[in-house]
Amino acid sequence: MTRHWTIRQAPRMDGRLALVTGATGGLGYQTALGLASRGARVILTGRNPDKGLAALTRLQLDAPGADATFRLLDVSSLESIATFAHALAGETDRLDVLVNNAGVMGTPHRMETRDGFEMQFGTNFLGPFALTARLRPLLCAVPHGGRVVTVASLAALTGQIVFDDLQARRRYAPFRAYRQSKLADLILALELDRQARTHGWPLHSIAAHPGWARTDIATSRLDTEQGLQERLTRIGAVWAFRLMGQSAAHGALPIEFAAMAPEARDGGYYGPSGQGERRGHVTDAFVPPAARDLTIARRLWQVAERLTGTSLS
């Protein structure tokens, strides 16, 4: 890997189409900006049209002449995903890069998606799974194979896939559910790589995490209805991110590396190089044993296909 990789070391992406979910702010916006700055035609997606327009306006200022558009996409909705994928397939015959970035973190009370899934599991994992499945034909239409970048998290290190309560109906804890969803994301990236090699798909699956990046998802959303202990824990986490974290632009570098760098390996996982992988330059990230467990991966894969009504096998 190139030492101290920066966006300036990324190859030109002229003529290539990239899609970034959750691109109206934070890591998604920075990733979209990085791709656009290297000449890619970028589709920013999100579920709020006002934020989408604002992000597009900001991107044009940050990268004059950028070829970018905004499209509505709610990754917590299987219907929205299906509609979006169908429309995109009618507009293009290939997709060079898909960055599955959109997500939610630590919803203080158990919530459900429109499809009845626990909000974090549905948005962070099942949505990206379904979107990748529906866009796979476009990704595989790229001559040397499209890239799928799945954004995981340090939270995956202590995550656990609770198969007998995936939707947290019996017991809900905000960050327990978040850790599960991000471990599932990492499993998705690694298993997608195995599936691609098994079936001979021209597709490259790579994972990345931002370390402790100072974004709205990480440094906001204190809920006054939470218990005192929960609020103190959340306040401590917010201040830890602010004091020891890095900017969204730096946090996006491992994601941009995974999306563009020729040296990014299929099945690789990238994050910051500093202590605890919280901040620093891009390097190989530690993969927790649970993410390497083939029994867990294949069981989770089957569950995801059944719940989403899509297939990535």
Side-chain angles (χ1 to χ4, degrees):
M1 185 184 304
T2 304
R3 185 172 176 81
H4 298 177
W5 189 87
T6 70
I7 192 65
R8 294 178 182 176
Q9 294 167 257
R12 293 295 303 175
M13 300 287 287
D14 302 275
R16 300 184 188 182
L17 178 63
L19 167 63
V20 183
T21 68
T24 58
L27 297 168
Y29 173 80
Q30 293 296 333
T31 300
L33 175 61
L35 285 157
S37 73
R38 303 309 295 165
R41 181 161 61 96
V42 183
I43 300 174
L44 294 77
T45 75
R47 58 185 179 181
N48 185 314
D50 294 331
K51 287 185 176 180
L53 179 59
L56 197 58
T57 301
R58 178 185 171 194
L59 190 143
Q60 294 291 353
L61 292 173
D62 290 342
D67 187 353
T69 57
F70 171 78
R71 305 286 179 84
L72 285 173
L73 172 61
D74 182 355
V75 295
S76 71
S77 165
L78 295 179
E79 180 182 7
S80 177
I81 290 168
T83 299
F84 175 88
H86 179 75
L88 187 62
E91 299 169 11
T92 181
D93 60 358
R94 57 185 276 183
L95 177 62
D96 295 87
V97 179
L98 168 62
V99 180
N100 284 316
N101 165 76
V104 293
M105 177 181 179
T107 50
H109 307 289
R110 186 183 181 278
M111 300 170 63
E112 292 189 350
T113 69
R114 296 179 185 178
D115 303 291
F117 306 133
E118 186 276 316
M119 183 61 72
Q120 296 183 84
F121 190 70
T123 304
N124 298 354
F125 169 63
L126 292 176
F129 184 97
L131 181 64
T132 303
R134 292 192 179 278
L135 295 180
R136 181 166 63 85
L138 295 180
L139 290 156
C140 289
V142 177
H144 297 289
R147 287 196 192 194
V148 179
V149 178
T150 304
V151 180
S153 166
L154 281 172
L157 291 173
T158 52
Q160 180 181 5
I161 307 298
V162 186
F163 284 106
D164 62 353
D165 193 23
L166 282 174
Q167 309 299 338
R169 292 190 174 94
R170 292 199 300 271
R171 177 192 170 197
Y172 178 76
F175 289 98
R176 178 172 178 260
Y178 180 70
R179 289 191 293 269
Q180 173 181 254
S181 73
K182 299 315 287 185
L183 172 59
D185 279 339
L186 183 52
I187 291 172
L188 165 60
L190 299 180
E191 181 62 19
L192 180 58
D193 172 63
R194 287 189 287 266
Q195 292 286 339
R197 286 186 281 112
T198 297
H199 296 288
W201 298 336
L203 186 149
H204 311 280
S205 178
I206 306 168
H209 78 80
W212 284 9
R214 294 189 296 270
T215 65
D216 288 344
I217 195 173
T219 59
S220 63
R221 300 186 184 179
L222 291 176
D223 193 317
T224 57
E225 295 183 12
Q226 288 180 293
L228 178 59
Q229 185 60 47
E230 290 177 312
R231 293 196 70 216
L232 289 174
T233 300
R234 181 64 172 161
I235 290 170
V238 167
W239 277 105
F241 269 83
R242 288 176 177 170
L243 294 174
M244 293 185 285
Q246 57 186 354
S247 68
H250 279 89
L253 284 175
I255 306 169
E256 294 167 332
F257 179 88
M260 291 183 275
E263 57 267 47
R265 303 185 312 277
D266 292 356
Y269 184 33
Y270 300 98
S273 61
Q275 185 176 11
E277 298 184 12
R278 292 189 289 268
R279 58 187 298 167
H281 302 289
V282 180
T283 192
D284 293 289
F286 174 74
V287 180
R292 297 184 182 276
D293 191 311
L294 295 182
T295 301
I296 292 175
R298 287 164 186 166
R299 184 179 178 186
L300 182 64
W301 203 261
Q302 292 172 352
V303 169
E305 290 187 326
R306 174 173 57 83
L307 291 178
T308 65
T310 60
S311 177
L312 261 173
S313 300

Tab-separated table of all heavy atoms in Angstrom, residues 25-28 30-31 101 105 151-154 178 209-220 234 237-255 272 276-280:
chain	number	residue	atom	x	y	z
A	25	GLY	N	-24.230	14.386	3.464
A	25	GLY	CA	-23.372	14.964	4.501
A	25	GLY	C	-22.346	13.952	4.967
A	25	GLY	O	-22.341	12.793	4.539
A	26	GLY	N	-21.473	14.380	5.854
A	26	GLY	CA	-20.530	13.492	6.510
A	26	GLY	C	-19.645	12.700	5.570
A	26	GLY	O	-19.133	13.208	4.568
A	27	LEU	N	-19.462	11.427	5.894
A	27	LEU	CA	-18.568	10.564	5.135
A	27	LEU	C	-19.046	10.376	3.698
A	27	LEU	O	-18.234	10.325	2.769
A	27	LEU	CB	-18.460	9.192	5.814
A	27	LEU	CG	-17.859	9.191	7.216
A	27	LEU	CD1	-18.080	7.832	7.866
A	27	LEU	CD2	-16.368	9.527	7.162
A	28	GLY	N	-20.362	10.260	3.511
A	28	GLY	CA	-20.892	10.064	2.172
A	28	GLY	C	-20.600	11.240	1.269
A	28	GLY	O	-20.194	11.067	0.108
A	30	GLN	N	-18.160	13.457	1.635
A	30	GLN	CA	-16.722	13.530	1.391
A	30	GLN	C	-16.275	12.477	0.374
A	30	GLN	O	-15.413	12.744	-0.471
A	30	GLN	CB	-15.959	13.355	2.704
A	30	GLN	CG	-16.143	14.487	3.690
A	30	GLN	CD	-15.594	15.821	3.186
A	30	GLN	OE1	-14.667	15.859	2.376
A	30	GLN	NE2	-16.163	16.908	3.672
A	31	THR	N	-16.870	11.307	0.428
A	31	THR	CA	-16.534	10.263	-0.534
A	31	THR	C	-16.984	10.664	-1.938
A	31	THR	O	-16.248	10.494	-2.916
A	31	THR	CB	-17.182	8.929	-0.126
A	31	THR	OG1	-16.705	8.550	1.171
A	31	THR	CG2	-16.845	7.832	-1.118
A	101	ASN	N	-22.845	3.442	1.997
A	101	ASN	CA	-22.455	4.263	3.143
A	101	ASN	C	-23.616	4.621	4.061
A	101	ASN	O	-23.433	4.773	5.270
A	101	ASN	CB	-21.798	5.548	2.636
A	101	ASN	CG	-21.702	6.605	3.713
A	101	ASN	OD1	-20.862	6.546	4.609
A	101	ASN	ND2	-22.598	7.604	3.657
A	105	MET	N	-27.374	5.324	13.453
A	105	MET	CA	-26.541	4.901	14.580
A	105	MET	C	-27.226	5.178	15.906
A	105	MET	O	-27.637	6.304	16.194
A	105	MET	CB	-25.200	5.646	14.541
A	105	MET	CG	-24.273	5.356	15.702
A	105	MET	SD	-22.744	6.332	15.538
A	105	MET	CE	-21.870	5.830	17.014
A	151	VAL	N	-19.264	0.237	3.912
A	151	VAL	CA	-18.714	0.994	5.035
A	151	VAL	C	-19.095	0.305	6.342
A	151	VAL	O	-20.262	0.257	6.722
A	151	VAL	CB	-19.218	2.445	5.014
A	151	VAL	CG1	-18.632	3.217	6.210
A	151	VAL	CG2	-18.826	3.124	3.706
A	152	ALA	N	-18.090	-0.232	7.000
A	152	ALA	CA	-18.285	-0.889	8.292
A	152	ALA	C	-17.947	0.114	9.400
A	152	ALA	O	-18.061	1.322	9.206
A	152	ALA	CB	-17.436	-2.151	8.384
A	153	SER	N	-17.510	-0.375	10.537
A	153	SER	CA	-17.253	0.494	11.687
A	153	SER	C	-16.391	-0.252	12.696
A	153	SER	O	-16.386	-1.488	12.735
A	153	SER	CB	-18.587	0.893	12.327
A	153	SER	OG	-18.398	1.465	13.611
A	154	LEU	N	-15.690	0.511	13.528
A	154	LEU	CA	-14.989	-0.102	14.655
A	154	LEU	C	-15.957	-0.853	15.564
A	154	LEU	O	-15.557	-1.769	16.284
A	154	LEU	CB	-14.248	0.966	15.452
A	154	LEU	CG	-12.910	1.447	14.876
A	154	LEU	CD1	-12.390	2.632	15.673
A	154	LEU	CD2	-11.888	0.320	14.862
A	178	TYR	N	-26.569	-1.540	16.958
A	178	TYR	CA	-25.662	-0.908	15.995
A	178	TYR	C	-24.458	-1.802	15.730
A	178	TYR	O	-24.065	-2.001	14.566
A	178	TYR	CB	-25.208	0.449	16.523
A	178	TYR	CG	-24.268	1.175	15.580
A	178	TYR	CD1	-24.731	1.689	14.370
A	178	TYR	CD2	-22.918	1.339	15.893
A	178	TYR	CE1	-23.870	2.344	13.490
A	178	TYR	CE2	-22.059	1.997	15.021
A	178	TYR	CZ	-22.547	2.501	13.827
A	178	TYR	OH	-21.691	3.140	12.963
A	209	HIS	N	-13.577	1.266	7.033
A	209	HIS	CA	-14.213	1.967	8.149
A	209	HIS	C	-13.470	3.284	8.388
A	209	HIS	O	-12.273	3.401	8.080
A	209	HIS	CB	-14.255	1.104	9.419
A	209	HIS	CG	-12.953	1.019	10.175
A	209	HIS	ND1	-12.533	2.020	11.029
A	209	HIS	CD2	-11.995	0.056	10.229
A	209	HIS	CE1	-11.375	1.680	11.572
A	209	HIS	NE2	-11.021	0.499	11.099
A	210	PRO	N	-14.153	4.301	8.934
A	210	PRO	CA	-13.564	5.638	9.062
A	210	PRO	C	-12.841	5.911	10.364
A	210	PRO	O	-12.377	7.036	10.571
A	210	PRO	CB	-14.785	6.538	8.945
A	210	PRO	CG	-15.854	5.740	9.646
A	210	PRO	CD	-15.589	4.306	9.258
A	211	GLY	N	-12.765	4.907	11.244
A	211	GLY	CA	-12.248	5.201	12.575
A	211	GLY	C	-13.243	6.041	13.342
A	211	GLY	O	-14.461	5.871	13.206
A	212	TRP	N	-12.726	6.956	14.141
A	212	TRP	CA	-13.597	7.893	14.852
A	212	TRP	C	-13.662	9.180	14.046
A	212	TRP	O	-12.778	10.039	14.145
A	212	TRP	CB	-13.050	8.174	16.246
A	212	TRP	CG	-13.289	7.069	17.231
A	212	TRP	CD1	-13.764	5.830	16.964
A	212	TRP	CD2	-13.052	7.119	18.640
A	212	TRP	NE1	-13.835	5.079	18.118
A	212	TRP	CE2	-13.414	5.853	19.162
A	212	TRP	CE3	-12.569	8.088	19.507
A	212	TRP	CZ2	-13.302	5.544	20.516
A	212	TRP	CZ3	-12.457	7.787	20.858
A	212	TRP	CH2	-12.822	6.539	21.356
A	213	ALA	N	-14.665	9.295	13.225
A	213	ALA	CA	-14.816	10.477	12.380
A	213	ALA	C	-15.875	11.395	12.962
A	213	ALA	O	-16.942	10.941	13.382
A	213	ALA	CB	-15.199	10.068	10.955
A	214	ARG	N	-15.552	12.682	12.985
A	214	ARG	CA	-16.477	13.665	13.563
A	214	ARG	C	-17.557	14.012	12.530
A	214	ARG	O	-17.403	14.907	11.704
A	214	ARG	CB	-15.718	14.916	13.991
A	214	ARG	CG	-14.741	14.673	15.133
A	214	ARG	CD	-14.164	15.982	15.671
A	214	ARG	NE	-13.355	16.674	14.673
A	214	ARG	CZ	-12.052	16.490	14.513
A	214	ARG	NH1	-11.408	15.625	15.272
A	214	ARG	NH2	-11.396	17.165	13.586
A	215	THR	N	-18.645	13.268	12.587
A	215	THR	CA	-19.795	13.512	11.721
A	215	THR	C	-21.032	13.652	12.581
A	215	THR	O	-21.025	13.313	13.769
A	215	THR	CB	-19.992	12.353	10.725
A	215	THR	OG1	-20.339	11.161	11.463
A	215	THR	CG2	-18.730	12.088	9.921
A	216	ASP	N	-22.117	14.128	11.978
A	216	ASP	CA	-23.357	14.312	12.732
A	216	ASP	C	-23.856	13.012	13.340
A	216	ASP	O	-24.407	12.992	14.439
A	216	ASP	CB	-24.447	14.908	11.840
A	216	ASP	CG	-24.192	16.370	11.513
A	216	ASP	OD1	-23.358	16.983	12.211
A	216	ASP	OD2	-24.804	16.888	10.574
A	217	ILE	N	-23.672	11.905	12.626
A	217	ILE	CA	-24.180	10.625	13.115
A	217	ILE	C	-23.468	10.201	14.397
A	217	ILE	O	-24.019	9.488	15.232
A	217	ILE	CB	-24.044	9.525	12.037
A	217	ILE	CG1	-24.899	8.309	12.408
A	217	ILE	CG2	-22.600	9.133	11.834
A	217	ILE	CD1	-24.949	7.250	11.327
A	218	ALA	N	-22.217	10.655	14.562
A	218	ALA	CA	-21.417	10.238	15.716
A	218	ALA	C	-21.449	11.245	16.856
A	218	ALA	O	-21.209	10.884	18.010
A	218	ALA	CB	-19.969	10.012	15.294
A	219	THR	N	-21.763	12.504	16.584
A	219	THR	CA	-21.615	13.529	17.619
A	219	THR	C	-22.919	14.278	17.901
A	219	THR	O	-22.901	15.412	18.336
A	219	THR	CB	-20.539	14.547	17.212
A	219	THR	OG1	-20.911	15.153	15.964
A	219	THR	CG2	-19.189	13.868	17.056
A	220	SER	N	-24.040	13.632	17.664
A	220	SER	CA	-25.319	14.290	17.943
A	220	SER	C	-26.327	13.266	18.439
A	220	SER	O	-25.979	12.153	18.815
A	220	SER	CB	-25.840	14.981	16.676
A	220	SER	OG	-26.104	14.042	15.675
A	234	ARG	N	-23.675	8.301	26.343
A	234	ARG	CA	-23.728	8.943	25.036
A	234	ARG	C	-22.919	10.243	25.034
A	234	ARG	O	-22.173	10.517	24.082
A	234	ARG	CB	-25.187	9.229	24.675
A	234	ARG	CG	-25.383	9.880	23.315
A	234	ARG	CD	-24.941	8.969	22.208
A	234	ARG	NE	-25.295	9.512	20.905
A	234	ARG	CZ	-24.758	9.149	19.776
A	234	ARG	NH1	-23.834	8.221	19.771
A	234	ARG	NH2	-25.132	9.681	18.634
A	237	ALA	N	-19.316	9.415	24.799
A	237	ALA	CA	-18.946	9.003	23.451
A	237	ALA	C	-18.807	10.210	22.527
A	237	ALA	O	-17.889	10.292	21.704
A	237	ALA	CB	-19.978	8.025	22.895
A	238	VAL	N	-19.724	11.163	22.665
A	238	VAL	CA	-19.683	12.362	21.827
A	238	VAL	C	-18.389	13.132	22.065
A	238	VAL	O	-17.706	13.533	21.115
A	238	VAL	CB	-20.907	13.260	22.107
A	238	VAL	CG1	-20.714	14.643	21.489
A	238	VAL	CG2	-22.175	12.617	21.556
A	239	TRP	N	-18.030	13.331	23.337
A	239	TRP	CA	-16.819	14.088	23.634
A	239	TRP	C	-15.565	13.326	23.223
A	239	TRP	O	-14.571	13.922	22.791
A	239	TRP	CB	-16.770	14.450	25.115
A	239	TRP	CG	-17.579	15.672	25.383
A	239	TRP	CD1	-18.799	15.750	25.977
A	239	TRP	CD2	-17.236	17.016	25.010
A	239	TRP	NE1	-19.255	17.046	25.995
A	239	TRP	CE2	-18.308	17.848	25.413
A	239	TRP	CE3	-16.140	17.594	24.379
A	239	TRP	CZ2	-18.309	19.218	25.212
A	239	TRP	CZ3	-16.136	18.969	24.170
A	239	TRP	CH2	-17.210	19.764	24.583
A	240	ALA	N	-15.592	11.985	23.329
A	240	ALA	CA	-14.450	11.183	22.878
A	240	ALA	C	-14.229	11.370	21.381
A	240	ALA	O	-13.095	11.543	20.922
A	240	ALA	CB	-14.687	9.708	23.207
A	241	PHE	N	-15.321	11.362	20.616
A	241	PHE	CA	-15.208	11.572	19.171
A	241	PHE	C	-14.668	12.963	18.872
A	241	PHE	O	-13.830	13.146	17.985
A	241	PHE	CB	-16.571	11.378	18.501
A	241	PHE	CG	-16.820	9.968	18.034
A	241	PHE	CD1	-17.289	9.003	18.908
A	241	PHE	CD2	-16.585	9.613	16.720
A	241	PHE	CE1	-17.525	7.708	18.479
A	241	PHE	CE2	-16.813	8.321	16.278
A	241	PHE	CZ	-17.278	7.363	17.161
A	242	ARG	N	-15.155	13.948	19.602
A	242	ARG	CA	-14.724	15.321	19.333
A	242	ARG	C	-13.260	15.550	19.680
A	242	ARG	O	-12.543	16.266	18.982
A	242	ARG	CB	-15.622	16.294	20.098
A	242	ARG	CG	-17.031	16.402	19.511
A	242	ARG	CD	-17.919	17.288	20.344
A	242	ARG	NE	-19.236	17.442	19.722
A	242	ARG	CZ	-20.280	18.010	20.315
A	242	ARG	NH1	-20.162	18.484	21.556
A	242	ARG	NH2	-21.426	18.113	19.683
A	243	LEU	N	-12.811	14.932	20.762
A	243	LEU	CA	-11.448	15.168	21.229
A	243	LEU	C	-10.422	14.274	20.541
A	243	LEU	O	-9.299	14.705	20.262
A	243	LEU	CB	-11.378	14.964	22.743
A	243	LEU	CG	-12.164	15.970	23.596
A	243	LEU	CD1	-12.124	15.552	25.061
A	243	LEU	CD2	-11.580	17.379	23.430
A	244	MET	N	-10.780	13.013	20.280
A	244	MET	CA	-9.812	12.060	19.766
A	244	MET	C	-10.110	11.598	18.346
A	244	MET	O	-9.357	10.808	17.778
A	244	MET	CB	-9.740	10.841	20.695
A	244	MET	CG	-9.171	11.176	22.062
A	244	MET	SD	-8.951	9.712	23.114
A	244	MET	CE	-10.657	9.372	23.572
A	245	GLY	N	-11.212	12.073	17.764
A	245	GLY	CA	-11.551	11.661	16.420
A	245	GLY	C	-10.865	12.508	15.362
A	245	GLY	O	-10.062	13.385	15.656
A	246	GLN	N	-11.180	12.218	14.117
A	246	GLN	CA	-10.631	12.963	12.996
A	246	GLN	C	-11.777	13.529	12.163
A	246	GLN	O	-12.935	13.167	12.348
A	246	GLN	CB	-9.734	12.073	12.145
A	246	GLN	CG	-10.397	10.825	11.602
A	246	GLN	CD	-9.407	9.921	10.881
A	246	GLN	OE1	-8.251	10.262	10.681
A	246	GLN	NE2	-9.858	8.744	10.483
A	247	SER	N	-11.457	14.408	11.245
A	247	SER	CA	-12.476	15.054	10.434
A	247	SER	C	-13.152	14.042	9.516
A	247	SER	O	-12.630	12.954	9.253
A	247	SER	CB	-11.848	16.160	9.592
A	247	SER	OG	-10.989	15.591	8.613
A	248	ALA	N	-14.328	14.416	9.017
A	248	ALA	CA	-15.021	13.559	8.063
A	248	ALA	C	-14.178	13.350	6.811
A	248	ALA	O	-14.174	12.256	6.223
A	248	ALA	CB	-16.377	14.177	7.703
A	249	ALA	N	-13.451	14.386	6.392
A	249	ALA	CA	-12.606	14.263	5.203
A	249	ALA	C	-11.521	13.206	5.401
A	249	ALA	O	-11.250	12.398	4.495
A	249	ALA	CB	-11.970	15.613	4.872
A	250	HIS	N	-10.902	13.191	6.576
A	250	HIS	CA	-9.894	12.170	6.850
A	250	HIS	C	-10.531	10.799	7.062
A	250	HIS	O	-9.978	9.780	6.641
A	250	HIS	CB	-9.052	12.560	8.063
A	250	HIS	CG	-7.968	13.542	7.756
A	250	HIS	ND1	-8.163	14.902	7.814
A	250	HIS	CD2	-6.686	13.368	7.356
A	250	HIS	CE1	-7.047	15.525	7.484
A	250	HIS	NE2	-6.137	14.622	7.186
A	251	GLY	N	-11.691	10.789	7.701
A	251	GLY	CA	-12.388	9.522	7.910
A	251	GLY	C	-12.811	8.865	6.612
A	251	GLY	O	-12.918	7.638	6.520
A	252	ALA	N	-13.055	9.681	5.591
A	252	ALA	CA	-13.489	9.145	4.294
A	252	ALA	C	-12.339	8.545	3.492
A	252	ALA	O	-12.583	7.814	2.520
A	252	ALA	CB	-14.171	10.242	3.477
A	253	LEU	N	-11.097	8.823	3.852
A	253	LEU	CA	-9.964	8.351	3.051
A	253	LEU	C	-9.931	6.829	2.875
A	253	LEU	O	-9.689	6.341	1.764
A	253	LEU	CB	-8.643	8.850	3.638
A	253	LEU	CG	-8.323	10.324	3.372
A	253	LEU	CD1	-7.051	10.733	4.118
A	253	LEU	CD2	-8.159	10.590	1.869
A	254	PRO	N	-10.155	6.025	3.933
A	254	PRO	CA	-10.169	4.572	3.691
A	254	PRO	C	-11.275	4.147	2.729
A	254	PRO	O	-11.100	3.197	1.953
A	254	PRO	CB	-10.402	3.991	5.097
A	254	PRO	CG	-9.900	5.040	6.036
A	254	PRO	CD	-10.255	6.336	5.372
A	255	ILE	N	-12.404	4.844	2.769
A	255	ILE	CA	-13.512	4.535	1.865
A	255	ILE	C	-13.131	4.893	0.433
A	255	ILE	O	-13.372	4.127	-0.516
A	255	ILE	CB	-14.781	5.289	2.301
A	255	ILE	CG1	-15.106	4.995	3.767
A	255	ILE	CG2	-15.963	4.938	1.405
A	255	ILE	CD1	-16.176	5.893	4.361
A	272	PRO	N	-8.064	3.529	9.513
A	272	PRO	CA	-6.940	4.379	9.927
A	272	PRO	C	-5.838	3.576	10.617
A	272	PRO	O	-6.083	2.543	11.223
A	272	PRO	CB	-7.591	5.368	10.905
A	272	PRO	CG	-9.057	5.288	10.623
A	272	PRO	CD	-9.309	3.884	10.208
A	276	GLY	N	-5.683	2.022	18.039
A	276	GLY	CA	-7.071	1.600	18.067
A	276	GLY	C	-7.805	1.810	16.756
A	276	GLY	O	-9.031	1.685	16.705
A	277	GLU	N	-7.074	2.133	15.695
A	277	GLU	CA	-7.662	2.414	14.378
A	277	GLU	C	-8.672	3.563	14.447
A	277	GLU	O	-9.612	3.617	13.659
A	277	GLU	CB	-8.307	1.164	13.768
A	277	GLU	CG	-7.335	0.034	13.511
A	277	GLU	CD	-7.960	-1.167	12.832
A	277	GLU	OE1	-9.106	-1.073	12.337
A	277	GLU	OE2	-7.297	-2.227	12.790
A	278	ARG	N	-8.443	4.494	15.384
A	278	ARG	CA	-9.388	5.601	15.544
A	278	ARG	C	-9.115	6.749	14.575
A	278	ARG	O	-10.025	7.456	14.166
A	278	ARG	CB	-9.355	6.108	16.991
A	278	ARG	CG	-9.915	5.112	17.996
A	278	ARG	CD	-10.058	5.739	19.369
A	278	ARG	NE	-8.775	5.975	19.991
A	278	ARG	CZ	-8.154	5.120	20.807
A	278	ARG	NH1	-8.699	3.941	21.055
A	278	ARG	NH2	-6.997	5.425	21.354
A	279	ARG	N	-7.869	6.964	14.225
A	279	ARG	CA	-7.506	8.032	13.318
A	279	ARG	C	-6.159	7.698	12.697
A	279	ARG	O	-5.459	6.798	13.166
A	279	ARG	CB	-7.439	9.382	14.050
A	279	ARG	CG	-6.456	9.409	15.220
A	279	ARG	CD	-6.561	10.692	16.008
A	279	ARG	NE	-6.236	11.848	15.175
A	279	ARG	CZ	-6.488	13.111	15.517
A	279	ARG	NH1	-7.091	13.376	16.672
A	279	ARG	NH2	-6.154	14.118	14.736
A	280	GLY	N	-5.791	8.433	11.640
A	280	GLY	CA	-4.490	8.190	11.027
A	280	GLY	C	-4.587	7.922	9.544
A	280	GLY	O	-5.621	8.148	8.911
